[in-house]
Amino acid sequence: QEALCDAIVVDYYLNYRANFKKFITHKGPDSFNPANNAALAKALFKNIKVDHIKFVLLMDKSEGTQYAGFKNETAALLEVHILNGMNADNADEYVISIIVRNFFHGIVEIAKNYQNEEWAYRNISLLVQYHMCGMALLYQ
């Protein structure tokens, strides 16, 4: 099972991980303007469009493999990124953890129920817009 999973997702995993790390290590403060939100939606969509089945396998169906903790590791990296950018008065690790995990859960659900490119992009864009509006308030 381990070898089969590795053969299926390894290239996708390496690419996703590299792109995600590049995203969270950007220079400068986070910005929640419509252009940046659209860029985030496009980047997420691109990762799902490439192969939504591998995305779901990696993020939701990898228990018992070397990738089992990947979703949690990715969420933890995003949590740290968010906490580092926030106003200290709003930086509650517990709430940020809930927000990030809900965000990832939404993305996984969109990938699981993938109907077509237009549907997926529209739903990812709505999810990003929803979450980024809330994050903008926490960064104040």
Side-chain angles (χ1 to χ4, degrees):
Q1 175 183 345
E2 179 81 25
L4 179 60
C5 181
D6 192 49
I8 293 170
V9 300
V10 68
D11 291 336
Y12 184 86
Y13 161 80
L14 293 171
N15 188 36
Y16 185 90
R17 193 172 117 210
N19 287 334
F20 187 79
K21 285 188 176 186
K22 189 184 309 178
F23 166 73
I24 63 170
T25 59
H26 64 83
K27 302 295 182 206
D30 289 328
S31 175
F32 302 98
N33 64 50
N36 286 348
N37 293 349
L40 174 58
K42 285 179 186 174
L44 289 167
F45 171 69
K46 179 182 174 187
N47 279 306
I48 292 171
K49 179 183 169 186
V50 166
D51 196 326
H52 65 279
I53 294 171
K54 288 181 183 175
F55 179 83
V56 172
L57 288 172
L58 184 59
M59 292 295 205
D60 197 51
K61 305 292 182 189
S62 59
E63 189 173 320
T65 73
Q66 67 180 354
Y67 306 102
F70 182 67
K71 182 179 174 183
N72 288 333
E73 291 167 19
T74 305
L77 288 171
L78 184 56
E79 289 170 24
V80 169
H81 171 78
I82 290 169
L83 288 166
N84 287 338
M86 287 181 63
N87 175 330
D89 292 338
N90 292 332
D92 185 302
E93 292 180 29
Y94 181 70
V95 171
I96 298 305
S97 176
I98 291 169
I99 291 168
V100 167
R101 289 169 200 292
N102 284 339
F103 183 64
F104 276 109
H105 178 76
I107 295 166
V108 170
E109 287 301 310
I110 291 167
K112 279 183 181 178
N113 295 288
Y114 192 97
Q115 295 177 13
N116 57 52
E117 289 181 15
E118 181 183 331
W119 180 90
Y121 183 71
R122 182 179 67 248
N123 283 288
I124 289 169
S125 294
L126 286 170
L127 183 67
V128 166
Q129 183 178 0
Y130 169 80
H131 273 274
M132 294 304 107
C133 286
M135 292 308 302
L137 292 173
L138 293 175
Y139 270 64
Q140 294 178 353

